Amino acid sequence: MSSSGIQLSRAAFFRGMRDTAVLALFVVPFGAAVGATAVAQDLSATASLVMSALVFAGASQFAALELWVEPLPLVSIAMITLAVNARFLILGAALAPWINQLRGFSWFITCMSLVDANFPYARSRLREQPDIGALLGSGAILWLAWVFGTALGAGAGRLLGSLDVFGMDVLMGGLFMAFVVQDLRQSRRFLPVVVAAVVAVVTRDVLPAGWNVVLAALAGGLSGLIGRAHG
Amino acid sequence: MDEATTWAAIGLMALVTALVRLAGPLIMRYVPLSPRVERFLEAMSVSVMAAIVASFLAQNGLREVVAVLVAAVAMLAIRSPVVAMMAAMATGAIWAALV
């Protein structure tokens, strides 16, 4: 993988935003769901907005909101957030060859732009063209959609009906499956995918929430070292 | 609900999440990038996506499996991840409406 000479251009930033626009559109209802859930748990609309703006991680926000009872269990909330978001460590490490060519604030804000939804896009775009604007742009539009969605949900108070009716709940699964298929088609390396899938499923009930994904990613990564080096 | 603890909780969540986002690249600063490390990172990055899909399917039913398979087929046919995603969502929506 080529990771030399990282650039940061406005063009890549705006292309990142444009390429991620449709996905961002679907993120809005998710944001609304978290905003409505937060308000239902007695957070103020402002607090809900600030949470989405600063945390920018939907799965952990939903998980933490389930614990939002009085008195607030601060340690449990922190731990569930850490557990569910632990996979961000993996995502960051995977993109590190590009991210670590940046310094200071650029490096920091790029790290903060990373979320599940733009990881596959950033990964494939950076291989074509090492311009970190792609990650920043896709992150920016997702963040805007997330915060906007949260505001809608917090303002509306309650969402009518389940998201299943619109197929929203399979959005992530479908998107990620597509990227896995894309990778398999290009690399023809099936072992890491099989290993990761098996480990994730088998350890799901024995590990705390989210850790099965981390373990599966590490196992899949290690299995990638088996066999001939590919060119 | 106590205002101060609410903001403390939100602050904690933000701090923990920020640290975890920074930790990946930070750790890799101290790990030299050899061909083996590159292969590990490449395999790990497809693995995390496969793990998320597998974990999702393991805690759901036939509808979700079918929807995700539709995404796979759509991706093979059309080569657009977002179109594949929408195909999965359409499948999920139709299934929820009819089944």
Side-chain angles (χ1 to χ4, degrees), chain A residues 19-187:
Chain A
D19 287 348
T20 316
V22 176
L23 186 51
L25 202 62
F26 289 113
V27 162
V28 173
F30 267 127
V34 100
T37 306
V39 174
Q41 296 288 66
D42 283 335
L43 276 89
S44 65
T46 310
S48 315
L49 256 181
V50 171
M51 184 198 283
S52 280
L54 294 184
V55 176
F56 184 36
S60 62
Q61 289 178 243
F62 278 112
L65 283 171
E66 274 181 57
L67 304 176
W68 220 268
V69 293
E70 197 155 354
L72 272 183
L74 290 181
V75 175
S76 297
I77 287 172
M79 298 231 39
I80 195 98
T81 306
L82 175 62
V84 174
N85 289 338
R87 69 195 182 287
F88 286 172
L89 199 150
I90 308 275
L91 304 185
L95 297 182
W98 294 276
I99 296 176
N100 279 342
Q101 295 182 57
L102 302 167
R103 287 288 177 272
F105 186 71
S106 311
W107 179 86
F108 172 78
I109 200 74
T110 300
C111 290
M112 298 300 285
S113 307
L114 195 53
V115 81
D116 297 303
N118 65 354
F119 169 75
Y121 171 74
R123 182 176 173 259
S124 61
R125 274 294 288 151
L126 285 170
R127 278 146 203 262
E128 294 169 15
Q129 187 191 0
D131 193 318
I132 207 74
L135 177 51
L136 284 168
S138 61
I141 197 166
L142 288 173
W143 183 84
L144 286 170
W146 185 242
V147 172
F148 175 65
T150 303
L152 284 182
R158 282 213 188 279
L159 277 183
L160 297 166
S162 157
L163 289 175
D164 294 7
V165 173
F166 302 103
M168 282 293 178
D169 57 323
V170 299
L171 183 153
M172 279 295 180
L175 182 70
F176 275 58
M177 181 60 142
F179 278 105
V180 169
V181 164
Q182 181 184 62
D183 186 278
L184 289 175
R185 180 187 240 152
Q186 286 165 2
S187 74

Side-chain angles (χ1 to χ4, degrees), chain B:
Chain B
M1 185 91 37
D2 182 340
E3 278 283 310
T5 35
T6 300
W7 290 111
I10 292 174
L12 258 180
M13 289 176 69
L15 181 67
V16 161
T17 309
L19 287 175
V20 123
R21 280 185 162 115
L22 300 176
L26 255 178
I27 289 171
M28 291 308 296
R29 275 233 154 111
Y30 298 101
V31 176
L33 202 64
S34 66
R36 282 177 68 98
V37 170
E38 283 201 20
R39 279 166 64 197
F40 173 78
L41 292 179
E42 284 202 37
M44 185 180 68
S45 57
V46 71
S47 295
V48 73
M49 294 189 281
I52 288 171
V53 173
S55 199
F56 169 73
L57 292 179
Q59 52 201 10
N60 283 289
L62 188 59
R63 167 180 172 269
E64 289 75 18
V65 171
V66 169
V68 165
L69 284 176
V70 165
V73 170
M75 186 61 191
L76 287 169
I78 300 174
R79 304 192 190 215
S80 161
V82 176
V83 169
M85 174 189 83
M86 292 195 278
M89 292 172 67
T91 306
I94 292 167
W95 188 298
L98 297 179
V99 178

